[in-house]
Amino acid sequence: MRRLLLRAWVLCFLVLVWVLLWGDLSLANIVGGTIIAVAITVLLPLPAVPVEGKLHPLSLLKLLVWVVYHLIVSSVQVAWLAIRPGPPPLTAVLRAHLALKSDLVLALAVNIMNLTPGTIVLEIDQTRRMIYVHVLDVGSDRAVNRFYTQIDQLQRLLVAAFEREADWQPSAEKEVDAS
């Protein structure tokens, strides 16, 4: 039943995206979007992603508030860097270790960082849980420390929302890989 509901949700989401891309809610767009959505899900199925933790709604809300706050602050900082007088900001690629257990949560962390203005993840070392992030402003030790502090905060919030030790159950695939 859960798998069927998930597939129905994916189909509805793809139809919604199709209609939004066309910009017109019409029967033809809904039918066309449904045909495209069914073709995508049948011909290009996504692999199953193991869900190994448990969702904690209050912690997820804290994560969402933190992300929205940092999106706003980063947007203002990047806008200031764009219009301020003087030389362009010093940029660098910084390495950070993420102690996240789940590949799904690691992907979520990378997506949050990519959405944040001024940062983009260039490479992910999945086995060592290292990410390499291009950071727009690293002109001072304070700016570099701020980046690492944000990474630590993001990691703590993700663990609280999805990977608490008490709820963690490794997937059968990982247990097979470990042996």
Side-chain angles (χ1 to χ4, degrees):
M1 183 65 175
R2 182 175 182 231
R3 177 175 274 167
L4 186 63
L5 286 174
L6 183 61
R7 286 190 179 193
W9 164 249
V10 169
L11 286 173
C12 289
F13 178 75
L14 290 173
V15 170
L16 175 67
V17 168
W18 182 263
V19 170
L20 289 174
L21 286 172
W22 280 101
D24 181 33
L25 181 63
S26 67
L27 183 61
N29 278 339
I30 293 172
V31 170
T34 303
I35 291 169
I36 296 296
V38 169
I40 288 171
T41 56
V42 170
L43 298 175
L44 306 167
L46 293 172
V49 177
V51 177
E52 300 160 316
K54 182 179 176 185
L55 176 66
H56 295 272
L58 186 58
S59 296
L60 179 62
L61 180 62
K62 289 177 187 176
L63 173 67
L64 289 173
V65 168
W66 185 89
V67 168
V68 168
Y69 171 76
H70 280 283
L71 289 176
I72 293 168
V73 169
S74 296
S75 296
V76 170
Q77 290 171 342
V78 169
W80 172 246
L81 289 172
I83 63 170
R84 74 180 171 114
L90 181 63
T91 65
V93 176
L94 301 177
R95 179 179 63 186
H97 179 264
L98 295 178
L100 300 171
K101 300 172 191 172
S102 167
D103 290 341
L104 184 61
V105 177
L106 177 63
L108 180 60
V110 168
N111 281 314
I112 289 170
M113 284 182 261
N114 284 338
L115 282 173
T116 305
T119 61
I120 188 159
V121 177
L122 300 174
E123 186 176 342
I124 305 166
D125 183 345
Q126 191 174 0
T127 56
R128 293 184 353 204
R129 294 297 201 232
M130 299 293 283
I131 57 170
Y132 298 86
V133 184
H134 182 269
V135 182
L136 184 59
D137 184 20
V138 292
S140 67
D141 288 339
R142 185 172 158 235
V144 173
N145 289 335
R146 183 180 32 201
F147 167 76
Y148 283 115
T149 301
Q150 287 177 354
I151 293 290
D152 289 340
Q153 289 173 339
L154 175 61
Q155 183 171 245
R156 276 195 311 272
L157 289 167
L158 286 167
V159 168
F162 301 107
E163 292 187 347
R164 291 185 186 174
E165 200 62 44
D167 302 323
W168 186 254
Q169 298 173 345
S171 68
E173 296 169 7
K174 286 190 178 180
E175 290 175 1
V176 171
D177 291 342
S179 52

